[in-house]
Amino acid sequence: MTEPGIFSLLWVLIALPLAGAAILLFGGRRTDRWGPYLGVLTVCTSAVIGVLMLLGLMALPAEERSITQTVYSWIAVGSLQVDFALQLDQLSMVFVLLITIVGALIHIYSLGYMAHDPDRRKFFGYLNLFVAAMLLLVLANNYLLLYVGWEGVGLASYLLIGFWQYKPSAAAAAKKAFIINRVGDVGLSLAIMLIFVTFGSVTFGEVFGQVGEASEGTLTAIGLLLLLAAAGKSAQFPLQAWLLDAMEGPTPVSALIHAATMVTAGVYLIVRSHVIFDAAVWAATAVVVVGLITIFMGAIIGSAKDDIKKSLAGSTMSQIGYMVFAAGLGPIGYIFAIFHLLTHGVFKAGLFLGAGSVMHGMNDDVNMRRYGTLKGLMVITFVTFMAGYLAIIGIPPFAGFWSKDEIIHAAFERNALIGVATILAAGITGFYMTRMIAMTFFGKARWEEGVHPHESPKVMTIPLIILAIGSTLLGMALLFWGNIESWLEPVTGFASEPTPFPTWVYIVVTLIVVIIGAIIGWVMYARRPVPIEAPRGSWLTRAARKDLYGDAVNDALVVRPSFALSKALTIFDARGVDGFVNGLAGSVGAISGRLRRTQTGFARSYALSMVGGALLVALALVLVQS
Amino acid sequence: MEFISPELDYAALAPMIVVGVAAIISVLVEAFAPRSVRRFLQLVLVFTTLIGALVLVVLNSGMRVLTGGQSIALDGPAWIMQGTILILAILGGLLMAEGGVDPSGDAFAPRASALPGSEDERQFTIRGYLQTEVWPFLLFAVLGMMLFVASNDLLMMFIALEVMSLPLYLLAGMARRRRLLSQEAALKYFLLGAFSSAFFLFGAALIYGYSGSIAFGPISFAITTKAGENTLLLIGIAMLLVGLFFKIGAVPFHQWTPDVYQGAPTPVTGMMAATVKVAAFGALMRLLYVAFGGVRWDWEILLWIVAILSMLVGSIIAISQSDIKRMLAYSSIAQAGFILVGVVAASPQGLASVLFYLIAYGFTTIGAFAVISLVRNASGEATSIRDWAGLGKKSPLIAAIFSVFMLSLAGIPLTGGFIGKWGVFAAGVAAGDAWLVIVAVIASVIAAFFYVRVIVLMYFADPTPDTAAVVIPSGFTTVSLAAGATLTIALGIVPQPILDIIANAGVFIR
């Protein structure tokens, strides 16, 4: 189906924020005054176009809701034909709306939050760049173009994490995010190559149409590589370590990139490639396992952190774990993975912006142990934060209830054990979120001297209010009015299996567990006084404060060995050649001794290594001759 | 024995003849033109020649001929590589012509004969002498490279190798600043280069002994018809490959690279890094595909090993480099390994992908060295990476352009380097070298680390008192830099025109 009416504007969706980024970043100081407003305008316009496209799609019959727009032929060599082509279907549509609408709200909020930053023009430039890249990622109609968006959001993310570069911790965090993400990118690039070799194409439609012809081993390999990619971008075990440090970026960035949109790209990738996972059981099982581990890791970390943003980051890891987990369940889970992704995108963005609003009033202090009893001083922030709180722990009728409940139910459809695990994790969610609100809004004031908490300006609170309304209503709206199940089914497929008990039993049990978790959190942090210095805590708390030793493991296994290897090779390359050649080819030892006396400088050792190399080359050829 | 003078197709040879004649005229200009007009005359001569030869190459590009008694093959890939070499030589020549960056003149020693640090040298510098002998060297080197990619027999290839290399050895030793380092590098380059040439010549002799011919066609014929013992052949191939591996800077024949990249005048490094890669890979592929295609299974494993070693050693060592020119040298070693992945594929797809890679790599490299020549402090170029800290704040435009080059070398999308890497890797996988490609992808991740480290340093670190300043260049460098940056990005976003040209070129003729 080609591109009638509004859909001919598909490329404009991406071009607008891209143009915004270009003008802001290359325009220099000239654009300082009006630049930020331009940045807001481009994203808002994209959001409006996105909504119009949704209306356009809804007007079409379900089987015609996939529109492809070929911008131009990008690479065409022999059998490799890749177009710069965009594809809008039900799945990418919901992402476009999430990215542009939440993106627009966060842009507006940033007008207030970043009002006094000297570099805010650049900030809006990077944000625009991010939106453009993220839209490209979800609109690409082939894996190679998706990869372009994938790298683009990564780039924007590093730039924004390191935005306050005068803080060494910010620069270090940006570098860490980059390195860990490269590991995930290896997975994606290898997956794409394997896909190309197996199917002779990288276009989604053509690849998925031929999945039946590939062997299960190949599909499993592709699936595992895609999982590696998803783990990198979505901060899943074992590539989770960068997300907590990424909180060094400005809070709107944490809300947009590291909670609502970019970190869910991994979930998008898995759901988009669901045809491959459907045919590769082991890969899908691996997805479930990774998701489950991350649900608990994130929840435990979120329970121990005193930094409000890091606690929320742990929670993000955990919630994305839920989505990845659901995506691994197969057709019973795909739709709910996306459903939870949408509700989470809205309520977590609200929570982060709320945290930003609190920080704004507390002189940018992030330590919850120095907050307390803010509920009366920041009424709008408090009320909107509560909406997000009720949504994330899953109290009906707030948004998170509907989506998380569906995932838990789907887990029970597969296996009672993993179902129980997800309920348990929901209980921990109740605990750490209650801890957060108790320490922040209730209890006694533990403020630093000279801090005068105050409510944020309207430009910040209005986005909070809109997101709070979303956190309250979005679940019901998508489920009952938007009919998300039948909307996504043509793309993702849908299946349902019987469970031993009726649905309401699971709902009630989950709610009871969540409320128990919340009560424990309330008793520990609202009833008892919160010490300003963190107590030593149990071994689990201490481990969780250190991100469950993620850094230590990375450092010991990867960082230190690679630097040592590089140093050693350098020394070897410059000076150790004589020894190398002597050791390797003892027979030339005598000659080498004579040569050494007749020549000076390093050139002799270089020449020697050439002789050694030539011997190797000759031997390799002669010995392995066929 | 009767000697028959070979038939020469003068039209097809015209581009090389033009460059060769101009090189001789250039020598005469040195001898007879007065000093005051010499530089002007040389510049006019060199750029007219290079552009003229490029036009001739474009006009000739439909030809597919074997000439000079089958010793020269001018086919599609040859035209593409000759054209690329000429364009890169023009851009490199522009860098060499830059006279406005160094306060005391251009990048070259005022008199190569003057002892470093001597009174003579000081006098020459004060009088503002500029050395113009570099221009005939450039033309001869370009002639050698053009012949190198078109050589269709071992002797012609050897001659081309020497015509190309000798001027480069000299050019490497002519830096105005840090002359001892430069001369040491030149001497090393010369000694090791001569050594590698000897290997090549020895290999040629062995192959002659095996096949009774030095021409690629008869060698290939001998391989397919002779059964049984072929140790002589394999040792011959090994020796020839040593010579070529040296030129492309593949491990374990790479050690000259960091010293020479660092020591040579930066414009020469840029020109050489870009053009020699094209020329040497062109010769390597023609030799392997046309002459030794019949024993592909024997040399394939060797190329695997060399490619893996080059990628890993280059990438890993580059991480701990503190000098930007040395870092780019190790990067070039790693890049040679990546390109070898496409060479191993030994398919039309592999050939096409290597050609594209070389083009993208050439423009990016020239651009990167152009930037290096502009980032300076009181003692000349600031090649210590630490001095680049915070450059993004002091000179946003130059830092942004350099970032583009680094991203391209790292193979990040929307740059020429990405399409190039993807092309060679895809060709490798299609040829069944999946494991090689996995190593290559992992190596490219390691490599991305040190490229991005420079970007991080430029943007995420605050300027220090030592931070270098960017000198505003004259039009020469500006044009070269702009062309490098524009093409690097254009090759990533709209690569199709170049891909079409390469596809139309087809494969090597026999």
Side-chain angles (χ1 to χ4, degrees), chain A residues 529-591:
Chain A
V530 178
I532 291 184
E533 280 305 311
R536 188 156 178 269
S538 67
W539 64 270
L540 187 61
T541 313
R542 292 199 299 277
R545 280 193 197 125
K546 293 199 166 115
D547 307 349
L548 297 177
Y549 302 117
D551 280 348
V553 172
N554 286 343
D555 201 46
L557 286 185
V558 185
V559 179
R560 254 178 294 160
S562 40
F563 270 94
L565 179 64
S566 179
K567 288 262 162 56
L569 267 179
T570 309
I571 294 166
F572 167 81
D573 207 51
R575 295 186 203 101
V577 187
D578 285 349
F580 170 65
V581 174
N582 288 340
L584 193 86
S587 57
V588 294
I591 312 169

Side-chain angles (χ1 to χ4, degrees), chain A residues 621, chain B residues 223 230 233-234 237 291-300:
Chain A
L621 271 178
Chain B
I223 288 171
N230 56 1
L233 168 71
L234 293 177
I237 295 178
F292 301 127
V295 282
R296 186 189 148 187
W297 307 113
D298 289 310
W299 50 256
E300 207 167 46

Side-chain angles (χ1 to χ4, degrees), chain B residues 193-250:
Chain B
F195 199 44
S196 79
S197 295
F199 275 105
F200 186 92
L201 206 53
F202 185 42
L206 292 179
I207 296 295
Y208 182 76
Y210 169 82
S211 67
S213 172
I214 49 161
F216 290 177
I219 293 172
S220 166
F221 181 72
I223 288 171
T224 48
T225 48
K226 266 191 179 177
E229 181 57 33
N230 56 1
T231 308
L232 194 58
L233 168 71
L234 293 177
I235 295 181
I237 295 178
M239 297 299 115
L240 289 174
L241 288 181
V242 169
L244 292 175
F245 285 156
F246 177 84
K247 283 293 158 200
I248 62 174

Side-chain angles (χ1 to χ4, degrees), chain A residues 338-348 399-400 403 471 474-475 478:
Chain A
I338 299 298
F339 185 21
H340 194 54
L341 192 158
L342 295 174
T343 57
H344 174 262
V346 172
F347 65 66
K348 186 53 73 61
S403 51
S471 310
L474 187 68
L478 284 175

